[in-house]
Amino acid sequence: MAVCAIGLLLALPTLAADTPSASTGLARALEQAWRLHPQAAGLDAREAEARAAQEVATGLTPEPPSVAIGSLNDRYNRNLGRQEWEVELAAPLWLPGQKAAREAEAASRVEEAAAKRAALRWGLAGELREAWWSLAAARNVNALAIRRLATAQALEADVRRRYTVGELSRIDANLAQAEVLAASAEQAETETALLQAEQALRTLTGTVAPQDVGEEVPTTLRRSGGLMSMPDAHPSIVAAAAATRSARARVTVADESRRAAPELALRVVRERGDFAEPYANTVGIRLKIPFSSGPLVRRETSAAKADADQADAEMIRAQTRTQLDAERAERTLASSERQLIMAQERRLLSAENLRLAEKAFSLGESDLATLLRIRAAAYDAEAFLDRQRVARAAAISRLNQALGVLP
């Protein structure tokens, strides 16, 4: 009984806040999860597309030049030897201000692609952190259930021995056996929950989670006039700002592209009237200027402005959301730290009560029902302390996530 009591009083494995795995474990898991992320596979192609658009915008012409070849003769009617060959080389021209607008729009697309990559990685870090601490909680609950089952089995053996010699009643033996059955059922349930948590994390990373799980280092908050200052490089805000700049750049392109591109062509004609005439060569220039269409211009401009207005609204929402998330995460961390202190005090009181109840039961001064009740309270206190340890570590990770800090 003394050994069982000592085993119960031992605390669960604490979170290794000062170990190197506290920071490197999540960072390594994030790298593994990033390699398996479906959307990350297409980001390189998206960035290549944006850089190709930037190369097009810096070109001499808005579109590639074209060549046209034509021939004319009278072979199928008069057949007097008339022959004409025409070659035309045409190149579209930039409209005034269009080239600069396209270059700015292409540069903003490159920035937007890079910002989306950082924002996607930040979002993946949030999913990983939640799965990480869910697994830590499931492990600790399972470890407590295993210890509870071992303690219940040891108690049942002692009660059965004392029942055999007539010191305890049949009711006490039945209570001890029921405690073993309840502990076995709880242990089986925690095994299932642990398996689900392990599979959830393995779905993200593709590998088994490490055994050592440590806390992250909380990010120091900056305040100005009592208000929290968000980091300037928050991935969510950076991505929203990049999307806004890109949308505004498209509005500028639409304003500068009120008609199709003009086209300048060089024509070379080689011809003769009949078999007796020699070939004559002529050279000419053709300039094509398309007319502007009011409805088409309004359609393109309105669509671009609608996207820009939506991007502005999403930018404001992203700033508000990140600010509120950070404030909520800070309050949650403060609350979890207070609850952790209270849980430690509660565990000390429960441990002392259990020690006294164990001594009284061994001396025959207390019955088994009282011991089981006090032991259940001690287990509740132990489980609550464990939950608060994990809750504090998860709150630190959520605060770092809200501030845009990667593992």
Side-chain angles (χ1 to χ4, degrees):
M1 293 297 295
V3 174
C4 296
I6 293 175
L8 179 62
L9 295 177
L10 291 176
L12 291 173
T14 58
L15 300 174
D18 300 328
T19 60
S21 62
S23 57
T24 60
L26 267 173
R28 189 180 302 110
L30 179 59
E31 292 297 331
Q32 296 169 346
W34 181 251
R35 288 194 294 266
L36 298 178
H37 199 279
Q39 297 183 26
L43 289 178
D44 293 337
R46 294 295 183 185
E47 290 188 4
E49 177 188 6
R51 296 192 181 278
Q54 191 175 30
E55 294 179 3
V56 171
T58 57
L60 297 177
T61 59
E63 296 179 4
S66 61
V67 61
I69 301 175
S71 176
L72 179 66
N73 58 62
D74 62 351
R75 183 176 304 170
Y76 296 104
N77 46 19
R78 301 172 60 189
N79 197 21
L80 297 179
R82 181 183 177 184
Q83 185 72 46
E84 177 181 329
W85 293 94
E86 179 181 358
V87 178
E88 180 179 282
L89 180 62
L93 303 177
W94 289 105
L95 292 170
Q98 187 184 35
K99 181 176 174 61
R102 285 286 179 84
E103 290 178 350
E105 191 264 344
S108 66
R109 288 181 60 183
V110 174
E111 295 177 0
E112 184 181 11
K116 285 184 177 180
R117 176 187 291 271
L120 182 62
R121 190 181 181 91
W122 169 74
L124 178 61
E127 296 181 20
L128 179 63
R129 280 166 166 151
E130 294 298 327
W132 185 271
W133 293 118
S134 296
L135 175 60
R139 282 178 174 176
N140 288 335
V141 171
N142 178 251
L144 180 61
I146 292 175
R147 288 209 309 275
R148 179 186 177 185
L149 177 59
T151 305
Q153 290 173 344
L155 176 63
E156 182 194 21
D158 181 69
V159 170
R160 186 172 295 278
R161 178 184 60 80
R162 296 175 64 180
Y163 166 71
T164 303
V165 298
E167 294 183 4
L168 296 178
S169 65
R170 180 64 180 178
I171 296 178
D172 293 333
N174 292 340
L175 288 176
Q177 186 177 4
E179 178 68 13
V180 171
L181 295 176
S184 300
E186 181 181 356
Q187 194 267 339
E189 184 178 355
T190 58
E191 288 286 351
T192 303
L194 177 60
L195 179 60
Q196 293 177 352
E198 289 177 346
Q199 290 179 347
L201 185 62
R202 189 167 186 176
T203 301
L204 291 175
T205 62
T207 58
V208 179
Q211 292 298 323
D212 295 332
V213 178
E215 294 181 2
E216 293 187 73
V217 178
T219 302
T220 303
L221 301 179
R222 298 178 300 167
R223 294 188 177 276
S224 177
L227 297 177
M228 183 186 303
S229 298
M230 293 300 300
D232 297 332
H234 193 287
S236 178
I237 298 178
V238 171
T244 300
R245 288 193 296 269
S246 181
R248 288 299 173 188
R250 288 194 293 271
V251 172
T252 305
V253 170
D255 291 337
E256 299 295 340
S257 303
R258 296 186 171 273
R259 66 180 74 236
E263 188 176 79
L264 181 64
L266 174 65
R267 301 179 61 195
V268 178
V269 180
R270 180 177 176 85
E271 60 181 349
R272 70 180 182 184
D274 54 35
F275 289 109
E277 294 182 6
Y279 279 98
N281 299 326
T282 57
V283 179
I285 296 177
R286 179 177 63 85
L287 178 62
K288 178 183 177 182
I289 302 179
F291 290 110
S292 177
S293 175
L296 292 178
V297 172
R298 289 194 301 270
R299 184 190 67 180
E300 300 297 330
T301 304
S302 299
K305 288 183 177 179
D307 293 339
D309 293 340
Q310 181 178 351
D312 291 339
E314 290 178 353
M315 173 67 181
I316 297 175
R317 174 174 290 185
Q319 292 175 338
T320 304
R321 182 175 59 250
T322 52
Q323 181 73 30
L324 296 178
D325 289 346
E327 293 177 357
R328 182 172 61 253
E330 183 186 21
R331 292 193 181 97
T332 302
L333 177 58
S335 176
S336 63
E337 289 176 345
R338 291 193 300 268
Q339 293 188 50
L340 179 61
I341 295 175
M342 291 185 290
Q344 291 171 344
E345 295 176 356
R346 177 185 171 186
R347 174 183 173 272
L348 291 176
L349 294 175
S350 300
E352 184 179 2
N353 291 337
L354 179 60
R355 181 177 59 81
L356 296 175
E358 292 280 4
K359 183 177 180 181
F361 179 74
S362 63
L363 297 176
E365 299 176 356
S366 176
D367 59 358
L368 181 61
T370 302
L371 174 62
L372 293 178
R373 177 174 55 81
I374 296 177
R375 173 168 290 177
Y379 273 117
D380 291 340
E382 189 78 19
F384 181 71
L385 175 60
D386 175 64
R387 289 195 302 269
Q388 290 310 125
R389 286 171 178 162
V390 177
R392 180 184 179 277
I396 293 175
S397 294
R398 292 190 183 101
L399 178 59
N400 291 342
Q401 179 70 18
L403 295 177
V405 179
L406 295 180

